[in-house]
């Protein structure tokens, strides 16, 4: 990707109309990207703010808010130079010494710098007093004794106007990059990412530490101007340490000529480094502040590097989101398959004759009777109907016991299959990182607490469906009379048994008893409604039961599918994809 603005020496200090239009376009794109990132959920990160993916997401948001958008709004705004470094490296002492004023509190107590201190020329107050940069940090000002109390708390930046700071540049004393405070470490990284240039302070003892070089490597990748201060160098060590540090800087794409060495010296009465040891650094800062063209070049270079880095970071987040989306799709398919299997198993149990075993078969036999009734099936159908009618006269409601047995059998099948499907689904989720995160968002593990009640309601509603169908089919006078002779509930029970009287799952004596008994009921129904009507009614009743079961099982799977859907982010993936592609295309055509 080519530079957004030409950082070359011939660049004019005023942005061209073309640059302004381009900046406005990029700003709009970045604003949308920031909103998308703020709404992004990375399931792998969970609630851990220190997870690498979450750190990258927050970093990208801050990079956009703290630096990219503010700098795009005006390339000529004063430069922000962040003074960063390790614990005890002497950052605050260096800032105070450069300005010959107690701007920052320096102390042996760690961490010293709890609130970042931003020193700027009074003429530049307007640039830093509003929320143009570091918008989530509240501006505070304090003098004298108030300054110490102001360094407590977080979410603030201490503004310190000082005429010794040359106009056109500001110095920000940041917390330690390796502070014992996690908040301070995060804030230090945020401030460094918001800088136009770094003044990075290290010591002879710690210049090769891993953490500083992680940050300096990032600075090299982003093409940030870095002025390194090697502080407290023991006598005679300069000849060995300085060349090694310059070599490391060059290897990390940083300018080795921007190295300033300060020997181990005694501080003066004010706690400042003697002026002669910071003079070269002070002159460099003053020279940069007085050269508007060079300031703009540095700003453009850092801006371009920050945009490239942000694009790469967003690309990394996008890859993770796409992988997360695929995992969610896989889990969705698994839920649909497993609960679809539950429906199939339930349907198979309804159709294979197994439901007529056990209690239902016994109650059905009580209902229709045996012996004479079965032998009399060859006689007039009216005689059979009379026998069944007389069976009810003055006797307990046997048809209700059959109905209850059917309810119990169906209830057992539905609850068992749904419970198994829930357990299997959650087991799959426990074995995937994304699934584990989803489990934490489930309303409750396992089937719904009211599953048994819902299953019972489902069965009762189907039974009502059957009753309604019988009343509708038997609306004629003759049919109504025949139904009344037996009872509509009895007719409904007979139809239910006919629905389940498939012989596919029955053998031996079960086949003879259940199959023969079902013939009794079917012949009776045919006498009332006609053969074609009974066949149609049985098929319709079976379909209605299937639909009720499907609805019950679908409702049971919805909590899993809803949890997945809540975490799907297709629009955010689309926004991130558009941004990354647009920046890649601009780079190709530049």
């Amino acid at each position: 990707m080519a530079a957004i603005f030409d950082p070359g020496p011939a660049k004019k200090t005023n942005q061209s109309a073309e640059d302004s239009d381009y900046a406005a376009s990029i700003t709009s794109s970045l604003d949308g990207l920031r909103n998308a990132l703020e709404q992004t959920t990375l399931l792998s990160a969970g609630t851990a703010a220190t997870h690498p993916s979450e750190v990258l997401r927050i970093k990208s948001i801050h990079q956009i808010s703290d630096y990219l958008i503010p700098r795009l709004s005006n390339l000529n705004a004063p430069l922000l130079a962040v003074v960063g470094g390790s614990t005890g490296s002497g950052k605050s002492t260096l800032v105070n010494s450069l300005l010959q004023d107690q701007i920052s509190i320096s102390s042996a107590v760690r961490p010293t710098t709890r609130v970042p201190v931003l020193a700027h020329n009074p003429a530049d107050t307007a640039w830093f007093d509003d929320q143009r940069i570091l918008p989530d940090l509240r501006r505070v000002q304090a003098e004298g004794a108030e300054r110490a109390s102001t360094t407590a708390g977080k979410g603030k930046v201490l503004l310190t106007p000082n005429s010794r700071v040359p106009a056109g540049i500001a110095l920000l004393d940041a917390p330690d990059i390796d502070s014992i405070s996690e908040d301070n470490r995060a804030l230090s990284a945020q401030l460094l990412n918001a800088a136009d240039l770094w003044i990075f302070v290290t010591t002879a003892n710690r210049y090769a530490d891993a953490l500083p070089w992680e940050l300096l490597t990032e600075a090299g990748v982003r093409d940030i101007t870095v002025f390194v201060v090697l502080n407290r160098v023991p006598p005679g060590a300069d000849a060995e340490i300085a060349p090694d540090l310059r070599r490391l800087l060059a290897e990390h794409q940083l300018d080795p000529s921007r190295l300033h060495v300060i020997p181990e010296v005694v501080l003066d009465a004010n706690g400042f480094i003697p002026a002669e040891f910071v003079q070269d650094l002070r002159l460099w800062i003053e020279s940069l502040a007085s050269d508007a063209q060079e300031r703009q070049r540095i700003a453009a270079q850092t801006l371009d590097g920050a945009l490239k880095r942000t694009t790469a970071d967003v690309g990394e987040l996008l890859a993770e989101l796409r992988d997360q989306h695929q995992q969610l799709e896989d889990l969705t398919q698994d839920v649909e398959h497993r609960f679809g299997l539950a429906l199939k198993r339930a349907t198979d149990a309804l159709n294979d004759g197994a439901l007529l075993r056990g209690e239902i078969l016994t109650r059905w036999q009580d209902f229709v009777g045996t012996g004479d009734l079965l032998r009399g099936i060859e006689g007039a159908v009216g005689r059979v109907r009379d026998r069944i009618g007389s069976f009810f006269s003055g006797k307990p409601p046997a048809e209700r016991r059959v109905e209850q047995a059917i309810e119990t059998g169906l209830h057992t099948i539905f609850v068992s299959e749904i419970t198994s499907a829930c357990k299997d689904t959650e087991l799959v989720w426990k074995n995937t990182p994304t699934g584990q995160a989803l489990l934490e968002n489930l309303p409750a593990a396992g089937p719904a607490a009211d599953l048994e009640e819902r299953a019972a309601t489902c069965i009762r509603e189907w039974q009502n469906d059957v009753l309604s169908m019988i009343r509708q089919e038997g609306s004629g006078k003759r049919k109504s009379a025949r139904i009344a002779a037996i009872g509509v509930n009895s007719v409904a029970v007979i139809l239910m048994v006919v629905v389940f009287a498939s012989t596919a799952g029955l053998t031996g004596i079960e086949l003879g008893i259940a199959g023969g008994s079902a013939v009794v009921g079917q012949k009776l129904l045919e006498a009332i409604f006609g053969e074609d009507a009974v066949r149609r009614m049985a098929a319709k009743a079976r379909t209605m039961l299937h639909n009720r079961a499907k609805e019950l099982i679908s409702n049971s799977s919805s909590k899993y599918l809803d949890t997945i859907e809540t975490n799907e982010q297709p629009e955010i993936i689309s926004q991130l994809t558009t941004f990354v592609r647009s920046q890649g295309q601009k780079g190709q055509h530049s």
Side-chain angles (χ1 to χ4, degrees):
M1 188 188 306
I4 296 175
F5 299 102
D6 179 7
K11 184 68 181 178
K12 296 179 180 179
T13 57
N14 293 325
Q15 292 176 229
S16 67
E18 181 181 357
D19 283 346
S20 296
D21 290 344
Y22 188 48
S25 173
I26 293 287
T27 298
S28 176
S29 179
L30 286 168
D31 190 53
L33 174 64
R34 175 178 56 190
N35 291 336
L37 290 173
E38 287 173 344
Q39 298 173 51
T40 297
T41 300
L42 297 165
L43 294 173
S44 62
T47 58
T50 56
H51 189 280
S53 297
E54 182 63 9
V55 170
L56 188 61
R57 185 183 74 87
I58 297 300
K59 171 195 168 188
S60 299
I61 293 172
H62 281 312
Q63 183 73 102
I64 294 168
S65 297
D66 298 345
Y67 185 74
L68 287 171
I69 289 179
R71 180 49 73 189
L72 279 164
S73 68
N74 196 319
L75 203 61
N76 299 309
L79 294 181
L80 178 64
V82 171
V83 182
S86 303
T87 301
S89 59
K91 302 184 301 298
S92 298
T93 299
L94 177 64
V95 172
N96 294 339
S97 301
L98 286 169
L99 302 180
Q100 291 293 294
D101 197 357
Q102 290 291 345
I103 298 298
S104 283
I105 299 174
S106 57
S107 168
V109 178
R110 306 299 174 202
T112 302
T113 305
R114 295 176 175 85
V115 172
V117 180
L118 196 158
H120 60 83
N121 189 279
D124 291 335
T125 296
W127 292 109
F128 302 104
D129 202 28
D130 62 15
Q131 304 299 109
R132 185 186 68 87
I133 63 170
L134 302 170
D136 60 342
L137 295 183
R138 181 167 58 90
R139 271 62 174 158
V140 293
Q141 295 189 10
E143 298 293 340
E146 291 181 301
R147 184 176 297 277
S149 62
T150 305
T151 58
K154 60 182 180 179
K156 300 180 290 187
V157 57
L158 179 61
L159 298 184
T160 308
N162 191 293
S163 58
R164 292 187 176 90
V165 181
I169 195 168
L171 299 177
L172 192 154
D173 184 14
D176 302 330
I177 62 172
D178 55 356
S179 172
I180 58 174
S181 165
E182 183 177 319
D183 289 338
N184 276 359
R185 294 196 303 274
L187 179 58
S188 177
Q190 178 184 347
L191 296 174
L192 288 169
N193 283 330
D196 292 295
L197 61 95
W198 295 4
I199 297 175
F200 199 85
V201 186
T202 186
T203 63
N205 292 331
R206 305 198 59 183
Y207 78 93
D209 286 358
L211 180 57
W213 282 106
E214 287 181 15
L215 293 171
L216 290 170
T217 299
E218 173 78 2
V221 171
R222 287 179 50 197
D223 205 14
I224 295 176
T225 297
V226 180
F227 200 107
V228 176
V229 176
L230 182 61
N231 197 17
R232 299 177 186 152
V233 179
D238 181 18
E240 179 181 349
I241 295 175
D244 187 45
L245 180 52
R246 289 190 179 93
R247 175 186 62 80
L248 291 171
L249 290 171
E251 288 179 356
H252 289 80
Q253 305 177 56
L254 298 171
D255 188 350
S257 68
R258 293 198 182 100
L259 173 64
H260 183 71
V261 180
I262 298 177
E264 204 169 46
V265 296
V266 177
L267 304 181
D268 65 19
N270 295 314
F272 301 150
I273 300 170
E276 63 268 25
F277 295 110
V278 295
Q279 182 176 358
D280 288 347
L281 179 55
R282 184 190 301 114
L283 290 175
W284 179 76
I285 293 172
E286 292 174 351
S287 173
L288 181 57
S290 64
D291 189 342
Q293 186 170 302
E294 177 63 6
R295 292 203 314 273
Q296 190 184 71
R297 186 197 69 78
I298 288 177
Q301 175 180 302
T302 304
L303 177 60
D304 188 62
L307 183 58
K308 289 178 180 178
R309 185 60 182 177
T310 297
T311 302
D313 290 344
V314 171
E316 188 174 333
L317 291 171
L318 176 59
E320 180 164 349
L321 277 176
R322 285 173 173 166
D323 180 65
Q324 176 175 292
H325 178 75
Q326 183 58 56
Q327 290 185 49
L328 291 174
E329 288 289 304
D330 293 343
L331 291 176
T332 297
Q333 291 179 12
D334 181 78
V335 171
E336 292 174 343
H337 170 74
R338 184 58 189 85
F339 281 87
L341 182 60
L343 178 61
K344 180 180 182 303
R345 288 176 176 174
T347 302
D348 289 345
L350 302 179
N351 295 337
D352 66 3
L355 200 63
L356 288 183
R357 293 189 176 99
E359 183 69 13
I360 296 177
L361 181 59
T362 300
R363 295 309 174 191
W364 172 244
Q365 288 304 119
D366 290 343
F367 178 43
V368 299
T370 56
D372 292 342
L373 182 59
L374 290 177
R375 287 192 294 271
I377 194 64
E378 300 297 332
V381 172
R383 234 178 26 251
V384 175
R385 185 171 66 250
D386 290 341
R387 291 193 183 195
I388 294 182
S390 65
F391 181 80
F392 287 100
S393 302
K395 293 186 178 182
E399 87 283 357
R400 179 56 189 150
R401 293 197 295 275
V402 178
E403 191 176 23
Q404 289 173 342
I406 291 174
E407 289 175 6
T408 301
L410 289 174
H411 191 275
T412 300
I413 291 171
F414 292 163
V415 171
S416 174
E417 291 300 337
I418 290 172
T419 300
S420 294
C422 290
K423 290 181 178 179
D424 290 348
T425 295
E426 292 173 21
L427 181 60
V428 169
W429 285 21
K430 288 177 182 178
N431 290 325
T432 67
T434 299
Q436 291 169 10
L438 293 177
L439 281 173
E440 296 179 2
N441 298 324
L442 273 182
D450 62 346
L451 173 60
E452 294 199 4
E453 179 182 343
R454 287 164 56 189
T457 300
C458 166
I459 296 164
R460 286 194 299 269
E461 288 174 345
W462 173 67
Q463 290 171 331
N464 289 333
D465 292 339
V466 173
L467 284 170
S468 297
M469 180 177 61
I470 289 172
R471 290 190 181 102
Q472 184 178 359
E473 291 285 342
S475 57
K477 289 184 179 180
R478 179 177 295 181
K479 293 179 182 177
S480 296
R482 290 176 176 176
I483 292 173
I486 302 174
V488 66
N489 288 337
S490 297
V491 174
V493 167
I494 295 169
L495 180 58
M496 292 176 199
V497 171
V498 169
V499 167
F500 301 132
S502 166
T503 60
L506 302 174
T507 58
I509 191 168
E510 289 180 326
L511 178 60
I513 296 174
S517 301
V519 170
V520 175
Q522 184 162 342
K523 290 295 183 181
L524 177 58
L525 293 178
E526 290 173 359
I528 299 173
F529 301 102
E531 184 177 346
D532 289 342
V534 171
R535 189 180 300 112
R536 185 182 68 251
M537 291 168 65
K540 186 175 180 181
R542 188 178 294 110
T543 299
M544 289 190 297
L545 180 56
H546 175 84
N547 290 339
R548 290 291 185 185
K550 183 177 181 181
E551 181 181 7
L552 175 65
I553 291 173
S554 176
N555 288 339
S556 298
S557 69
S558 63
K559 76 171 182 178
Y560 300 103
L561 296 176
D562 289 348
T563 301
I564 292 173
E565 185 178 2
T566 299
N567 288 280
E568 288 179 336
Q569 302 165 85
E571 292 183 0
I572 290 176
I573 290 175
S574 177
Q575 286 179 278
L576 267 57
T577 300
T578 298
F579 177 81
V580 172
R581 284 179 179 172
S582 67
Q583 295 307 306
Q585 290 169 356
K586 287 169 185 174
Q588 291 173 3
H589 295 300
S590 300

